[in-house]
Amino acid sequence: MSEDRLPDPLRERADRLVASRRWTRSDLDLLRILLAADGVGRDRLLAGDPLRERSLASLLKLGLATETDGGVSMDADAKAIGDAVLAWHAAKQARASVGPAAEGRKRGEDLKRSLADAVRGVFPRIPEEVAQAAATRLAPAAVKMGGRLAAQSMVDAVVAIRMERWRQAVASEPEVAERLQAMQMRGDNNRAVKRFRDQRAVERVEAEIAEWRGGLEPVTSRRLG
């Protein structure tokens, strides 16, 4: 029965109950089970759970449940009040889902979508996953800047992401791996080895960003230096 259609005494009692006590998840679980059946065996209802046992004691004390011969049930008035309590709790959860935290998440998602669109404006042919990764990286700075970022920041973010990817990938390419091994055997220091690997990665990134720019003028980044 809808709370709006409850007789006044039952509605008033339901209002007092939701205002005067904290309804635990265990309380609500028992209400749902009892509302769905005409009667449930006590052992089956509690399933050995001490939290449910405490909840049942509360429901019995409140007159929302009746225990007879090892079975637990609710009369018509108790079911109407139980329905109202569950409806109140569902409405509370719905309000919480659009509260400040949810609004913050939505703003964050909206900002990332806007940034991904902006990245695609700089690189019309960029793969979607790279645009999304760049948007995620740019989001903290965009928050500080009120959502406004220069195109150079987007170029730098894309280049940084791709450099990270290619640093790992080029070292396994046969030609590069062979050269790295030769350098190590000669005793070249780690800085020289890394510089050679990074130069190969730079070449891959430069080719990518040129392709992703399409017909637009070339762009560069200090990260490619």
Side-chain angles (χ1 to χ4, degrees), residues 134-198:
T136 299
R137 180 170 296 217
L138 289 163
V143 170
K144 293 180 182 178
M145 299 293 292
R148 297 181 297 275
L149 287 178
Q152 187 62 55
S153 299
M154 299 174 198
V155 173
D156 291 344
V158 170
V159 166
I161 289 168
R162 299 310 291 169
M163 280 294 295
E164 290 165 7
R165 188 268 184 194
W166 281 111
R167 279 193 182 105
Q168 298 174 21
V170 296
S172 63
E173 294 180 354
E175 180 182 345
V176 177
E178 183 178 340
R179 177 68 179 274
L180 291 175
Q181 185 178 11
M183 293 176 71
Q184 290 168 344
M185 291 179 66
R186 287 199 307 269
D188 290 349
N189 62 37
N190 285 336
R191 182 177 298 178
V193 172
K194 290 178 181 178
R195 186 165 58 246
F196 174 77
R197 179 206 61 192
D198 286 356

Side-chain angles (χ1 to χ4, degrees), residues 106-116 135 138-140 142-143 146-147:
K106 184 178 184 302
R107 285 196 298 270
E109 291 167 1
D110 289 345
L111 175 61
K112 287 181 182 178
R113 279 195 293 271
S114 175
L115 289 170
L138 289 163
V143 170

